[in-house]
Amino acid sequence: MGKSKVLVVGGTGYIGRRIVKASLEQGHETYVIQRPELGLQIEKLQRLLSFKKQGAHIVEASFSDHKSLVDAIKKVDVVISAISGVHIRSHSIGLQIKLVDAIKEAGNVKRFLPSEFGLDPARMGHALEPGRVTFDDKMAVRKAIEEANIPFTYISANLFAGYFAGSLSQMGSFVPPRDKVHLFGDGSLKAIFLDEYDVATYTIKTIDDPRTLNKTVYLRPQDNILSQGELIGIWEKLIGKELEKTYIPPEGFLTTLKGLDFKLQVAIGHFYHIFYEGCLTNFEIGEGGEEASKLYPEVNYTRMDEYLKAYV
């Protein structure tokens, strides 16, 4: 059998554009949706034109036009949604219910990958308000997928390096500090950091793999399972300097929630679960899951010492 044809929804976004690139590089006929709602967002339009030059097909469709979605889906075998689920940008996870309806009507899709790419929402039933809305919305999409009997793969990509590694997981910045750094608790709980291009590479590898059908694929490359303290240590070695450290206890961290903007409250709740509970690594992958770096050992993923060199 040939490689699946792929439709990427949200292909101009942060992770979507990397998924388009990986799909093309791995030899898939790749379609990217252009939504009329794009309006005057010139950078997104130019990105679409760039994809076209690289060999992607651009297809017009809109969440407000059910038939256009169905028509676009009928062109492909696999649909990957990468629409934003980050509140500091735009949170559009719920729109995917319309995508599920269109996939169900089209009837030809052999795999759907909804927009997840972070913490596994199935493990976050205990999440703090208001941050739990992210996980609740993703679980509502999962419920719709499974009730429609649509074949799926869920990708749990843990932490994007651009958001969490480059900043040494400091809030309010995407660049690493050079003098002072804050650690959550004692900085010893393990998290998992991934270069976004590696997330895309692993994602595309799953789509024709029978081992990942109707499963959650966790991206846990061994060398990138690091505590915040270890991540800071890598940076200190790179710049040849020890940073002044401040340790934030959990009770002190949660008090910062009060009175903050909703988007920041969501982010703080997620930071709490990651760095005070260790929610990314405090469980074993069970029967319904697979681990990407074991399935695809040929992927030479970016280690965080190499990643952080760009910031020196």
Side-chain angles (χ1 to χ4, degrees), residues 177-306:
R178 292 178 177 268
D179 297 302
K180 300 177 181 179
V181 66
H182 291 90
L183 286 89
F184 303 108
D186 62 4
S188 67
L189 289 182
K190 299 282 188 177
I192 307 167
F193 304 87
L194 279 108
D195 181 292
E196 291 83 346
Y197 286 106
D198 293 334
V199 172
T201 297
Y202 283 124
T203 296
I204 295 300
K205 282 188 171 289
T206 69
I207 62 177
D208 284 328
D209 189 343
R211 298 173 296 179
T212 63
L213 178 62
N214 295 337
K215 288 189 175 180
T216 299
V217 177
Y218 298 89
L219 278 49
R220 283 186 171 187
Q222 188 62 41
D223 291 349
N224 287 0
I225 302 175
L226 301 165
S227 68
Q228 188 193 11
E230 288 170 331
L231 187 68
I232 292 167
I234 291 170
W235 176 244
E236 289 176 327
K237 187 175 180 181
L238 285 171
I239 63 172
K241 177 183 179 181
E242 187 173 342
L243 304 184
E244 180 185 328
K245 299 174 181 67
T246 300
Y247 297 88
I248 306 172
E251 57 276 7
F253 183 72
L254 284 178
T255 58
T256 62
L257 271 172
K258 297 175 182 176
L260 286 179
D261 175 83
F262 175 81
K263 295 175 183 178
L264 290 176
Q265 290 188 49
V266 169
I268 285 173
H270 294 181
F271 268 73
Y272 179 83
H273 295 300
I274 293 162
F275 294 108
Y276 290 102
E277 291 181 352
C279 70
L280 301 179
T281 57
N282 64 1
F283 64 96
E284 297 296 324
I285 297 172
E287 192 175 325
E290 297 286 349
E291 200 284 298
S293 66
K294 291 179 180 176
L295 292 177
Y296 315 112
E298 70 277 10
V299 175
N300 183 23
Y301 61 88
T302 302
R303 275 65 174 175
M304 287 302 103
D305 55 347
E306 190 64 32

Side-chain angles (χ1 to χ4, degrees), residues 15 32 40 51 91 117 122 136 160-161 171 197 211 213 221 228 238 257 272 305:
I15 195 66
V32 186
L40 299 177
F51 294 154
H91 183 75
F117 307 110
D136 291 345
F160 290 164
M171 298 195 73
Y197 286 106
R211 298 173 296 179
L213 178 62
Q228 188 193 11
L238 285 171
L257 271 172
Y272 179 83
D305 55 347

Side-chain angles (χ1 to χ4, degrees), residues 145-189:
I145 292 167
E146 292 169 27
E147 286 181 349
N149 293 314
I150 295 168
F152 64 84
T153 298
Y154 304 138
I155 304 292
S156 177
N158 297 298
L159 303 181
F160 290 164
Y163 280 81
F164 287 92
S167 65
L168 308 183
S169 301
Q170 304 300 287
M171 298 195 73
S173 175
F174 292 139
V175 295
R178 292 178 177 268
D179 297 302
K180 300 177 181 179
V181 66
H182 291 90
L183 286 89
F184 303 108
D186 62 4
S188 67
L189 289 182

